[in-house]
Amino acid sequence: MSGQSITDRITAAQHSVTGSAVSKTVCKATTHEIMGPKKKHLDYLIHCTNEMNVNIPQLADSLFERTTNTSWVVVFKSLITTHHLMVYGNERFIQYLASRNTLFNLSNFLDKSGLQGYDMSTFIRRYSRYLNEKAVSYRQVAFDFTKVKRGVDGVMRTMNTEKLLKTIPIIQNQMDALLDFNVNANELTNGVINAAFMLLFKDSIRLFAAYNEGIINLLEKYFDMKKTQCKEGLDIYKKFLTRMTRISEFLKVAEQVGIDRGDIPDLSQAPSSLLEALEQHLASLEGKKVKDSTAASRASTLSNAVSSLASTGMSFTKVDEREKQAALEEEQARLKALKEQRLKELSKRPSFATTDTSPVSTTGGTISTAPTIDLFTPSCSNGAVKMESDPFDLQSSFQPSMQSGSAGLPAATAWAGYSTPQAPPQHSAGGLQVDFESVFGNKAAGSSSLNSDDLAGGILKPTLAGSNQLSNQQPEKLVSDDLDSSLANLVGNLGIGNGTMKK
């Protein structure tokens, strides 16, 4: 199967509708395509782990949900994405995984859809076990062995005896889970398992480097330990030798699949005489008869062993630093490419420099603006009403002016409509006579221009035929700024007018 399936597209679309960009990216990183998760999706999820407003439990749950899929491709890619975030994401991601009561439950996973599904299911079960062990290790020691400070003043080299004897077995368990992946070069047949192997390879280098430094610290303290501590220490060292052989085989597979020889560290075996010296020291503490050995010979043996292991540690550290440098250079190249792309986009955009036809001109250090267009203030060259303020502003005053040549043309109103030419006022004895001037506080009824004190601006004032009967009944008064009060006065006056008509 190649390419995104219909299920992949539907799932991504569902998360697009719900607005969950994180869940959508998880789906895109774990499609049915037989290839490793795409870098752009992994980079986005790494970025999400560094954002404080991103819900880490929701991100983790999305990945766990994808591991319930029946397809080995989706499940494998979900594990790879999780592993990638544990290594390169913010530490709070692995902290959350370590705090969970349950992790990956794939010990019985089996994809029966085909022969490849059967083969890959085996590695999925092993891989999930390692990720679980990696999270458990973090829970026990509160740090990631692959990220601890190394060197003479590193975490494992400066650890005291009691803590060291408890910590090294934890590293051993994680190393065992990693080496139990147990893949051969001819089984790395597709992009999915290859992506998982590369992450395991990088983990193995860093994990063994921490393991190696813990052993160096153990050997330096061994001859000063108590009898019970020496017994534990000797057992730890014997297990270390067996794991050293296994890690060597693992690195050979990496070389066979094409990983550069310079990226594979060299392993230097400790002299066999060291193991003999350790066993004799423990036997002497237990009261057993051993052959005599001088302190000088014992010190020499220990020095040679520590030097050999330190050389191995340096080799692992150099490989790790080389990888970090390569990653840094890759990131710098990516940022440079993004910068160049951004500059090209900016250069293609039209220039916003002002010209003579531009409404804004900065010639001579001055700014001149053309008249702005107000959609609510229509303007006509012949007989139009010119409004200089917003008709919806109750605080503003309107001062329409009528030109002498506009007698036969319709006048524009504030509502973008046109009214017919006003007829001369006629007095009708039986018609409705309402004086709007008295309502809105104007002094003259036939004035062609409004007083500057007119707060309502005449916007609600139609031209009606009538007389000044109401102005004699009610004194002039200023209308308040409240439109509701003005309308109340209007209704009251209308009521008075109707009463007059009835009489």
Side-chain angles (χ1 to χ4, degrees):
M1 183 184 297
S2 62
Q4 293 187 28
S5 67
I6 298 297
T7 305
D8 295 331
R9 299 180 185 275
I10 292 175
T11 306
Q14 289 174 341
H15 290 298
S16 297
V17 172
T18 59
S20 177
V22 173
S23 298
K24 179 180 178 181
T25 307
V26 168
C27 291
K28 286 185 172 293
T30 58
T31 60
H32 288 76
E33 297 174 279
I34 303 182
M35 57 181 292
K38 293 182 179 178
K39 187 176 185 301
K40 63 179 181 180
H41 298 143
L42 295 176
D43 289 345
Y44 178 79
L45 293 176
I46 289 173
H47 172 73
C48 288
T49 63
N50 291 311
E51 292 293 327
M52 297 307 297
N53 60 339
V54 172
N55 190 327
I56 295 297
Q58 179 185 354
L59 170 57
D61 288 343
S62 298
L63 290 167
F64 278 100
E65 181 182 357
R66 296 295 283 173
T67 61
T68 61
N69 199 287
T70 57
S71 169
W72 71 267
V73 182
V74 175
V75 176
F76 217 153
K77 292 171 76 171
S78 302
L79 296 176
I80 293 169
T81 304
T82 303
H83 191 181
H84 196 89
L85 296 181
M86 293 172 78
V87 175
Y88 300 106
N90 191 285
E91 191 173 5
R92 62 197 188 113
F93 181 78
I94 192 173
Q95 284 176 348
Y96 172 73
L97 294 183
S99 68
R100 286 178 62 105
N101 293 327
T102 57
L103 293 170
F104 296 108
N105 185 20
L106 298 171
S107 57
N108 297 319
F109 177 81
L110 182 62
D111 185 345
K112 301 179 181 179
S113 60
L115 181 61
Q116 192 177 31
Y118 274 95
D119 294 338
M120 294 297 107
S121 295
T122 301
F123 296 107
I124 286 175
R125 295 192 294 269
R126 297 172 182 174
Y127 193 30
S128 64
R129 178 176 174 268
Y130 169 71
L131 295 182
N132 287 347
E133 194 63 42
K134 185 178 177 72
V136 170
S137 296
Y138 190 96
R139 181 190 305 167
Q140 292 175 317
V141 297
F143 59 81
D144 187 348
F145 289 114
T146 64
K147 297 180 181 180
V148 295
K149 181 181 178 181
R150 295 196 291 270
V152 179
D153 58 344
V155 173
M156 299 304 297
R157 290 290 295 272
T158 57
M159 196 172 287
N160 61 51
T161 303
E162 291 77 11
K163 190 173 182 180
L164 186 66
L165 292 174
K166 293 179 180 178
T167 303
I168 292 181
I170 299 174
I171 301 181
Q172 287 177 339
N173 291 336
Q174 186 175 339
M175 179 62 71
D176 287 343
L178 188 152
L179 296 175
D180 284 344
F181 192 71
N182 196 26
V183 65
N184 296 320
N186 57 1
E187 293 173 315
L188 298 173
T189 56
N190 60 74
V192 181
I193 191 172
N194 289 351
F197 180 78
M198 284 303 300
L199 288 172
L200 290 172
F201 169 72
K202 294 174 182 178
D203 263 17
S204 68
I205 293 176
R206 297 165 184 160
L207 185 61
F208 190 83
Y211 189 14
N212 186 71
E213 291 193 347
I215 294 298
I216 293 176
N217 189 12
L218 176 70
L219 294 176
E220 291 175 339
K221 291 179 168 60
Y222 182 81
F223 293 102
D224 297 324
M225 291 180 182
K226 300 175 182 178
K227 182 174 67 175
T228 55
Q229 292 175 335
C230 284
K231 190 174 182 178
E232 289 182 48
L234 180 60
D235 183 59
I236 288 174
Y237 182 72
K238 288 180 179 179
K239 290 180 179 179
F240 171 76
L241 294 178
T242 59
R243 283 157 185 77
M244 203 170 191
T245 303
R246 293 187 65 191
I247 190 68
S248 178
E249 295 172 354
F250 184 86
L251 295 178
K252 286 181 181 178
V253 175
E255 186 177 359
Q256 292 171 1
V257 297
I259 295 179
D260 190 86
R261 188 67 185 88
D263 295 332
I264 300 176
D266 296 321
L267 291 176
S268 300
Q269 295 283 349
S272 57
S273 58
L274 174 63
L275 179 60
E276 183 181 354
L278 298 178
E279 290 175 338
Q280 288 181 359
H281 178 71
L282 176 60
S284 65
L285 292 177
E286 292 176 343
K288 298 177 181 178
K289 186 178 180 180
V290 295
K291 64 180 181 179
D292 295 334
S293 61
T294 63
S297 63
R298 188 174 63 186
S300 176
T301 302
L302 178 60
S303 177
N304 291 335
V306 169
S307 177
S308 177
L309 295 177
S311 176
T312 298
M314 287 295 295
S315 178
F316 276 80
T317 301
K318 286 180 180 179
V319 170
D320 191 23
E321 290 178 351
R322 192 181 301 120
E323 182 199 344
K324 290 180 180 179
Q325 182 64 28
L328 180 61
E329 292 175 356
E330 180 184 353
E331 183 67 15
Q332 290 176 344
R334 188 176 69 87
L335 292 176
K336 183 179 179 181
L338 289 175
K339 183 179 180 180
E340 292 176 353
Q341 181 181 358
R342 180 62 176 166
L343 291 175
K344 289 180 181 179
E345 292 176 355
L346 291 175
S347 64
K348 292 180 181 180
R349 291 186 178 181
S351 176
F352 292 98
T354 58
T355 62
D356 294 339
T357 59
S358 173
V360 179
S361 176
T362 58
T363 305
T366 60
I367 298 178
S368 61
T369 58
T372 58
I373 299 174
D374 190 348
L375 296 177
F376 294 100
T377 311
S379 175
C380 299
S381 59
N382 296 324
V385 178
K386 297 182 179 179
M387 297 184 179
E388 299 178 356
S389 304
D390 186 357
F392 294 105
D393 187 357
L394 298 179
Q395 300 294 336
S396 57
S397 60
F398 300 91
Q399 298 180 356
S401 60
M402 302 295 294
Q403 297 182 2
S404 59
S406 62
L409 296 178
T413 67
W415 308 102
Y418 291 90
S419 63
T420 57
Q422 297 181 1
Q426 298 179 0
H427 298 278
S428 174
L432 175 63
Q433 299 178 358
V434 180
D435 187 359
F436 283 88
E437 302 294 319
S438 63
V439 175
F440 291 97
N442 291 328
K443 294 182 179 180
S447 175
S448 62
S449 63
L450 296 177
N451 192 303
S452 61
D453 295 332
D454 180 10
L455 299 179
I459 190 171
L460 299 177
K461 182 180 67 178
T463 302
L464 297 177
S467 63
N468 295 332
Q469 294 178 1
L470 294 178
S471 62
N472 298 328
Q473 298 176 11
Q474 183 175 353
E476 290 185 0
K477 57 183 178 180
L478 292 177
V479 69
S480 67
D481 291 341
D482 189 354
L483 180 59
D484 292 336
S485 301
S486 301
L487 293 176
N489 291 335
L490 173 60
V491 173
N493 287 323
L494 288 175
I496 295 173
N498 290 336
T500 304
M501 290 177 60
K502 291 179 181 179
K503 289 180 181 180

